[in-house]
Amino acid sequence: MGNPKGFLEVKRKEGGNRPISERILDFSEVEQTLDEEDRRLQASRCMDCGVPFCQWGCPVMNNMPEWQDAIYRGDWQKAIDILQSTNNFPEFTGRVCPAPCEKACTLNIHKEPVTIRENEAATAERAFERGLIKPQPPAFRTGKKVAVIGSGPAGLACADLLNKAGHHVTLFEKDDEVGGLLRFGIPDFKLAKNVIDRRVQLMIEEGLVIRTSVHVGKDISAEELVNEFDAICLAIGAMQPRDLPVEGRDLKGIYFAMDYLTQQNKVVRGDRIAEKDRILATGKHVLVIGGGDTGSDCVGTANRQKAKSVTQIEILPKPPEERTPDNPWPYWANVLKVSSSHEEGCERFWSLSTKRFIGKNGNVTGAEVVEVAWEKDANGKMAMKELPGTERIIPADLVLLSLGFLHPVQEGLLKDLELKLSERGNVHVSKNHQTSRAKIFAAGDAVNGATLVVRAIASGRKAAEDIDRYLKSL
Amino acid sequence: MWKGFPDKSGLYNPENEHDSCGIGFVAHIKGQKSGEIIRRGLEVLLNMSHRGAESADNTTGDGAGITIQIPHRFLVSKGISLPDPGEYGTGIIFFPPDKEERKAIEQWFYRIAEEENLAISAFRDVPVNSSVLGEIARRSEPVIRQVFITGDYEQDELERKLYIFRKRIENEVRNSGLRQSSYFYVNSLSTRTLVYKGLFTPVQLRDYYPDLSDPAMESAIALIHSRFSTNTFPTWDLAQPFRYLSHNGEINTIKGNRLWMKAREALLQSQLFGKDLEKLFPVIEPGKSDSASLDNVFEFLVMTGRTMPHAITMLVPESFNDKNPIPNSLKAYYEYHSMIMEPWDGPASLVFTDGRYVGGTLDRNGLRPSRYVITEDDLIVMGSEVGVQKFPAEKIREKGRLRPGKILLVDTKLGIIIPDTEIKGQLSRQNPYGNWLKENRLELEKIEVKQRIPSTLDQYETYLRVFGYTKDDLDMVFKPMAMEGKEPVGSMGNDTPPAVLSKKPQRLFSYFKQHFAQVTNPPIDPIREGLVMSLTNYIGALQSNLLEETPAMCKLIRFQSPIIINTDLGKIKNLQREEFSNVTINMVFDARGGGKALKEALDRICHEAEQAVDNKINYLILSDRAVDEDHAPIPSLLAVSTLHHYLISVKKRMQIGFIVETAEAREVMHFALLLGYGASVINPYMAFAVLDDMCKKGEIPLDYKTARQNYIKAIDNGLLKIMSKMGISTLRSYHGSQIFEAIGLSNEIVEKYFNGTPSNIGGIGLEEIAEEASIPHREAFSKRPVKDLYPKTVGIYHWRKDGEFHGWNPETIALLQWATKTNNYEKFKEFSNLVNSQNREPNFLRGLLNYRKNPIPLEEVEPEDSIMKRFVTGAMSYGSISKEAHEALARAMNSIGGRSNTGEGGEDAERFKPLPDGSLIRSAIKQVASGRFGVTTNYLVNADEIQIKMAQGAKPGEGGQLPGYKVDKIIARLRHSTPGITLISPPPHHDIYSIEDLAQLIFDLKCVNPTAKISVKLVSEHGVGTVAAGVAKARADLITISGNEGGTGASPVSSIKHAGLPIELGISEAHQTLVKNNLRGRVRLQTDGQLKTGLDVVLMGILGAEEFGFATAALVTLGCILMRKCHLNTCPVGVATQNPELRKRFIGRSDYVVNYFRFLAREVREIMAEMGIRKFDDLVGRTELLEQRTDVDHWKARTVDLSRILHKPQEAEKFPLHQVTHQIHPIDDILDRELIKLAGKALKSREKVWISKPINNTDRAVGAMLSGEVARHYGELGLPDNTINARFYGSAGQSFGAFLAGGISFTLEGDANDYLGKGLSGGRIIVVPPAGSKFVPEENIIIGNTVLYGATSGELYVRGIAGERFAVRNSGAFAVVEGVGDHGCEYMTGGRVVVLGSTGRNFAAGMSGGIAYVLNRNGNFEYFCNKGLVELTPLEDRTDILEVQMLLNNHLLYTGSRVAETILSNWDEYLPMFVKVIPMEYKKVLEEQKLEALRKKLEATEDSPQYHY
């Protein structure tokens, strides 16, 4: 620890976002960065706690105290080495992670945590800038072959580690580029796609074989893979969105959020979309149903498309602004989150349940909502109750459903392989990520349901270790 | 059948018995024999009764005895026909009571006598009076007969024959297989001296042996001894004196000394004994005490031709490094002898006699008092105390004391006293030692370098992995050591599992724990008292016959430090000289061969080494450089210890030295272990490679050489600290002394490879050791396709996810805070379930235990409120934690009927009064620690419990330091010191060097506050049981056993990790030993250390505890998040800091603490209901309620065996298992009761009173109880000056004027013993020689050692000289004295001391405040002063001059001192001789204060309203 009194001398300072008026005109990254001196000072605030709660909070077990110290000393090589020893892709998480580490940071007891997430992004960027991250192809190959299906964060992390362990790894992706939700789900204004390209290029140089536009189960049969590879990792995500089957759901103008976001991401990449297929918010009243991160991304995208208005509703009650006594530090904070997209213009409502959609000429014109109250039932579970007389209509000519995801798509691959599923419909795995078929493993959202990028990376890493152990035992 | 110590059972081990005592002698210098000498000797013994102890039956003493010259006239008068004196030998023999066995032994007497050409001329039944014995003594009473042996030899020859005879009969009986052989003991067998002794109190000795009172009985010498042992199994034969000497003290290095002596026997040759020499082996009788072993060797050296002074200076040499003012020739003498005999190290006051000479000596530290008086009619009386014999004032010629390392010798034949300088002069001239050394002994530094050996390693990273280097090592060990030259410091204890339970691979080193001194023996301060310490060691031609002295015996290489660099090792390897040949042995084994291969490798090493000895090789280089893919390193400690023990067993150890070249050793503990198990010198080549690499990478911003130098310095200082915490001063005696215990090693391993090392819970064997060494080896040689980050942090010190387990981890901390903050019992259950399940992984020993169930309804169990009374919070000072945290704890504990603890550092008297809302924020427990900070009379009377902290879990055996920047105004006020001044707590209590001293302090404190319970805090280690028994006998009301894991204080990380034991072992051992001794019923037992849940409480209760301490857990409820940065003052939650900014961040409330303890009690109740226990007392000590789990399958944890912890002593059937009665404190008839009566008016209405009383050395702590009364009535300030005036005549006992409160003036005409004015709290003490004295007061000693210890205010005037450590830790008293011994003004932080005569060595060591003025008459004061913290200036400043004059004026006025008179009336002549001794830090602060005052004055003038308009 460079400066034991750093946290007393230096205040928390965030990079902040570009001005709203400027940023909503483009899809470039919203967040700004501090200069190197400020970054080092921010890192000096880390106290090298005897019990680093940040690391406990971090799904990939980033070793915060040690790389904060390296930043403070200006040793970027050491910082990136420590960081990459636990996290394959700090440049991703440094941008999009909601930072449970900062929630758990000891300095967050007094609401001034170390800027760990920004420090992470800065470390990665500094390292790339200075050429400190070089391809490290394995010195020898084990001769074992592994197929990783799905190139989202879990698949990428898993493939990366297995490749570095010397196995021949082929990464299959059904889309035309790798990245999964990183590429097609998260808007560019939060994660610029050259960041992914840069990383993927490195992995290719390290010998990873990537086969895009190959939909396993369609373009190539699952059994073929089983025969060809010594082990397979399914990292196919939890792509089945939750629907809202109410009256009027079949009206035009109602889309799943992911369809909307993916299309915009492709447009930004330069794809041309046929006019009839284009989902555009321009000049429309937009209603986003669902208060999570995906919903927030829809808000930001709609604003950039120059929507007339954007409204976001959520069925759950409004979270408190501050931690409540039964949600203490260092646990995840269930508090109101205002994203940069929210700042850009959006009306938000909570405790609203959607009763039906209203339309005209087959096009949606609004949604009828009702206020709900949440109370504990006899079993102590929170139960919802509609409040009669509070029905109202929210006008909307574009409705985006971001109600989360149910489980992986079960049709096709999973059915073909006859894998056992969990109660929630996810792929069932043992403690070491093994599915009901010996050589098939699974990781990421496909196992855990939709969750954070950082959890997906953690899961991919863990699966890689298990697969490596499995391969060594063969 | 009942005799002596019980056998080893459970955790009790008779090896741990300690004792300490009163000793002395009376002699007629001119050798005139008389009955008076014996009578006086017995009287001396009687007057030191309080220094001995009684057993549980309250009548059996621990042992007493007397040595006299053979009373020829008396023996003849008894009708025994005897030749002339000198022509026969006699001795008193203890025989078995069994007649047959006794007869058999007597037959052997005749046979052996015949074989040795001697004749048994008679046996005499020694008359005894068994009725005086206590019950325990009677049960083991032997038959006592006196034997008379003649032979046709001249006296010296006959003496040697008798020695052979005695050794033979001893060996014969010991090996006879007689049922009662252990009764047999030869008190002495000599032509010169006769020893009477037994299991007595002093008074019983006289009454048991009517001989001693016989009018015909006469001697010119009477040497006496009374014993205080820690237990109630003292035995007849262990009473002293032994054949030559009596010993008060303890030999800390005894294990090593005994082993080395045994190893030496093969090489001994004696001209005097010739072939008979073998009959004398073993020189050391097995199974006897350390003192007895010392006597054995002393006797052996004297019998084989050395003089007594020669022998004693070999065994207990004085310190001879450059801080000691002794001639070079004498230093050469000591150095020469240090090569052939390692010191028998430890506190020792010794008296010895051979019937002609009688003398005494002190060890180099002088930690035991020894005072003497010489009278006008040639009597000399020496004893542990003064006043043991009364003489009229005009009869006294001289009063003196023994000084550290010095000898006093009386030759009764020539009728002279031989002074130390003359004895030592003679010794040093015996041989040209200086020349011998110059010509033969090499010094490592001076050997020429032919080739430098680089510190880099070719396969650096592979070695890192093979030897398990972690980033923790690099960051937390290497870096701080290389940067600062000091050991790294940590905080908040150790909450990781013991090595045997750890899931991470461990070095074998981690299975060992350091021993440390507590109670029976003081640790040393290796920094402030560096003058007694030494790391010198030798290697080379060790083939020596101890009984000769030749120049060749010093053909050795001398090392100033045991750590050598690669180039040095190269030098040694390449030395092409005779006597310096060496061979390298590889410490590696077949990496794939497991335990079997390891065993073979060890055998190979032993074989190769033995061959080397046979080939006359001088030293071995044990090296692990040869590791490769096929060869894993043998744990270096295992290799060294195996070889050490093997060579001892084949009697080839003395012929060869070990150099260890290892990559494994990196931290202080590792080096200490290697040295402690036999290595002489270590080359940690990997450590150097690591340093080199870190320097190159810029991780250590220093050049490699500096970094290495700092690292070695840190290791050296760390070694000194580890040695000193056991009270050992020299590496020579630490070498091979095995002062460790193992935890988690199987008995087989320990017996075979670490023989003599305690190991109480079984554990891993060779197979597991091999596996543990192989894991990192495999990992290192496994192929990695891509370079990974290495080394990694594994969480040894700080928690890491996936790292080593820590009991305090994010989840346990967060849940406990959540539960207690929201008062949510369900959350608490989540917490406790989590903790308990983590414990059972297992991570703590208690996790291996299940309790038996037998449910009853919850309502039947005693209520929560009564259970909560058993809870206390840990001793954390206000200073270490913030005011907010400290008061929150006190408030919480007071509200639930528990107790909080002040910690060391005083307490604001404001807190003694209840708050307006009725709540009380004073700490019920007031701690008294070695620094005595803030320990005033008022502080003590405001306690419900006074705790004497002997050791603390985080750093047992060490002192502490509160850096100046942490000492703000308030802390300074409470500690009676100056803001900004560093405060040092010494390692030992300077009034507790032994168990009888502790008894004295308990007595002192009980006198001050008779209503408070006195408790003693110990730390868990092997042997803590016997210490606890001793403490119980010293009449402590409560004993706390702390586990090593606990502790919140800042401490060197090696101490946090490697000293002390888990509480399960400590509490069990203490409980079992107390039960065995029937002492359990009179004390309460408390335990602490990583306790967290109700289950922890119940389990510890069953193991023997009645009360439970919580420190970390309580702090966690107040917001502590285990930052482990307490020592940096940056606590971000305002708990462990004084920084006002940080304190604002404190979010704790006393309610949270209350919630915690309520939850704990609730949970305890629930478990009790499950077990069917209604009252908590009913489960204490009931180990049958527990069983060890059988479902543990971890490969290491399953080897653990807790049966000794669960052992229930047989005595449990008849003796109580928990406290049932109270200690009887002997304070009912003390002098103070009378003083209080006589001072009634003063106490009631501040009226002045005058008192006059005679006083004896048996009147102890006079003034303490009176002062307690004053403080109770009048608080901190006491009474107006001179309200109570008392005059005493005679010799005052220990602790005269202790805690004397303001308004009391004591004048003593006579002399005083140790601890005068201890804790002086405003009173005035004057000591003058009695009227009529002829001796010159300023040349004679009048008061004892450790005067004004911890005094906070008041005055002392002494006309005469004081002993060692005058004004130690004085923080405010003013004193004038006419000369002081060694270590004057040590650790002083305030007050003034004027010394009008010479000082001993090491004056002002650790002195950080106050001023001393020394009259430097001889001009050599500078040499005697330790200038580490102070500067010496002339007395020039006007205020200083006025102050000195004022004090001298008082001195003259009160004492009539001639010295004061002369100085004052010749002021101009004397003024230039005064030296002002002032700590530099203090001077700066004083100047700042002056400036500040000036500035304020100026400001005040400027702001004065009158100047404004």
Side-chain angles (χ1 to χ4, degrees), chain B residues 324-478:
Chain B
N324 294 278
I326 55 172
N328 285 332
S329 57
L330 183 57
K331 288 185 182 179
Y333 167 85
Y334 281 124
E335 184 177 350
Y336 177 83
H337 285 89
S338 76
M339 295 173 180
I340 56 176
M341 172 62 80
E342 62 293 333
W344 291 54
D345 207 342
S349 167
L350 293 159
V351 291
F352 47 85
T353 182
D354 61 359
R356 168 179 168 179
Y357 295 97
V358 57
T361 190
L362 287 189
D363 68 282
R364 58 176 61 202
N365 277 309
L367 295 176
R368 290 282 191 276
S370 244
R371 303 270 294 266
Y372 63 84
V373 174
I374 299 169
T375 67
E376 292 291 348
D377 39 18
D378 290 318
L379 273 185
I380 178 166
V381 178
M382 181 156 114
S384 303
E385 291 186 13
V386 71
V388 290
Q389 276 292 287
K390 273 190 216 126
F391 299 100
E394 63 278 9
K395 282 266 189 186
I396 292 171
R397 195 196 301 160
E398 191 186 327
K399 290 185 178 189
R401 73 182 193 285
L402 277 184
R403 308 190 57 159
K406 306 296 178 198
I407 295 179
L408 174 86
L409 192 67
V410 181
D411 181 345
T412 57
K413 198 163 170 190
L414 295 183
I416 53 168
I417 293 176
I418 313 173
D420 179 75
T421 45
E422 199 177 319
I423 299 168
K424 303 277 174 73
Q426 275 178 19
L427 289 173
S428 60
R429 284 192 302 273
Q430 282 177 158
N431 281 308
Y433 298 110
N435 284 344
W436 285 4
L437 290 173
K438 217 185 286 164
E439 283 160 18
N440 294 286
R441 184 250 289 132
L442 297 180
E443 288 178 62
L444 180 69
E445 313 87 273
K446 293 192 182 151
I447 302 175
E448 191 199 346
V449 177
K450 292 193 182 133
Q451 193 196 346
R452 298 217 76 89
I453 312 231
S455 52
T456 49
L457 265 179
D458 290 344
Q459 289 175 287
Y460 176 67
E461 200 170 291
T462 307
Y463 272 64
L464 274 186
R465 290 173 193 262
V466 170
F467 291 97
Y469 279 72
T470 63
K471 195 155 183 306
D472 313 52
D473 289 331
L474 268 49
D475 290 351
M476 310 291 253
V477 177
F478 282 99

Side-chain angles (χ1 to χ4, degrees), chain B residues 702-717:
Chain B
L702 294 172
D703 66 286
Y704 165 64
K705 260 195 148 171
T706 313
R708 185 185 66 196
Q709 223 165 11
N710 286 345
Y711 172 79
I712 294 177
K713 186 175 147 202
I715 298 287
D716 282 352
N717 288 340

Side-chain angles (χ1 to χ4, degrees), chain A residues 345-358:
Chain A
C346 160
E347 239 188 314
R348 303 171 75 184
F349 300 101
W350 286 268
S351 301
L352 286 186
S353 173
T354 309
K355 307 262 305 177
R356 63 189 175 101
F357 293 107
I358 302 159

Side-chain angles (χ1 to χ4, degrees), chain A residues 208-450:
Chain A
L208 177 70
V209 177
I210 296 178
R211 295 181 62 188
T212 50
S213 302
V214 178
H215 195 158
V216 180
K218 276 188 191 156
D219 303 327
I220 180 172
S221 85
E223 287 311 320
E224 227 170 297
L225 291 189
V226 173
N227 291 333
E228 193 182 333
F229 290 90
D230 297 303
I232 295 168
C233 180
L234 304 178
I236 56 174
M239 302 293 281
Q240 191 74 55
R242 179 177 282 121
D243 205 347
L244 189 61
V246 295
E247 184 191 330
R249 169 67 182 85
D250 49 358
L251 289 164
K252 266 197 194 152
I254 302 175
Y255 299 94
F256 282 116
M258 205 42 72
D259 295 338
Y260 175 68
L261 294 173
T262 301
Q263 191 185 74
Q264 180 58 40
N265 279 335
K266 289 190 171 172
V267 169
V268 173
R269 157 172 99 167
D271 287 12
R272 286 174 176 250
I273 307 290
E275 195 64 32
K276 65 172 173 59
D277 296 330
R278 184 78 171 111
I279 314 168
L280 259 183
T282 315
K284 289 179 182 156
H285 293 288
V286 179
L287 174 63
V288 179
I289 301 180
D293 289 338
T294 308
S296 159
D297 289 346
C298 291
V299 171
T301 304
N303 274 321
R304 278 166 180 70
Q305 291 177 346
K306 302 198 170 45
K308 204 183 271 174
S309 75
V310 185
T311 306
Q312 186 184 20
I313 62 170
E314 164 63 47
I315 198 164
L316 289 168
K318 185 178 180 182
E321 310 238 338
E322 305 233 331
R323 284 178 184 275
T324 53
D326 59 356
N327 175 219
W329 173 91
Y331 297 94
W332 177 256
N334 296 313
V335 293
L336 179 65
K337 206 166 131 190
V338 180
S339 69
S340 65
S341 295
H342 293 135
E343 290 168 355
E344 290 157 5
C346 160
E347 239 188 314
R348 303 171 75 184
F349 300 101
W350 286 268
S351 301
L352 286 186
S353 173
T354 309
K355 307 262 305 177
R356 63 189 175 101
F357 293 107
I358 302 159
K360 205 168 160 187
N361 305 330
N363 291 319
V364 68
T365 57
E368 186 189 308
V369 297
V370 63
E371 285 181 30
V372 294
W374 290 88
E375 274 161 16
K376 272 190 189 166
D377 68 7
N379 301 323
K381 278 192 181 161
M382 292 303 271
M384 187 183 80
K385 206 174 78 189
E386 291 184 7
L387 299 177
T390 61
E391 294 84 357
R392 65 181 160 112
I393 290 171
I394 299 176
D397 26 30
L398 175 63
V399 174
L400 300 170
L401 302 178
S402 62
L403 303 160
F405 299 87
L406 292 170
H407 46 67
V409 178
Q410 294 162 351
E411 289 305 314
L413 187 58
L414 296 186
K415 286 236 166 105
D416 293 351
L417 289 169
E418 296 175 336
L419 293 182
K420 192 176 157 196
L421 300 176
S422 71
E423 273 176 36
R424 292 184 169 220
N426 297 323
V427 181
H428 172 87
V429 290
S430 67
K431 227 168 51 187
N432 32 6
H433 290 86
Q434 215 158 7
T435 66
S436 49
R437 285 183 65 172
K439 63 160 66 168
I440 302 177
F441 294 73
D445 289 359
V447 172
N448 303 317

Side-chain angles (χ1 to χ4, degrees), chain A residues 73 84 195 318 393 419 462 466:
Chain A
R73 292 173 195 285
Q84 296 217 99
V195 172
K318 185 178 180 182
I393 290 171
L419 293 182
K462 176 74 184 24
D466 293 332

Side-chain angles (χ1 to χ4, degrees), chain B residues 97 179 501 595 722 791 800 834 859 1051 1110 1134 1257 1273 1319 1418:
Chain B
R179 220 159 30 89
L501 299 186
I722 292 175
R800 285 289 183 271
L834 178 67
E859 305 78 67
S1051 162
F1110 301 82
N1257 78 308
H1273 289 87
N1418 302 326

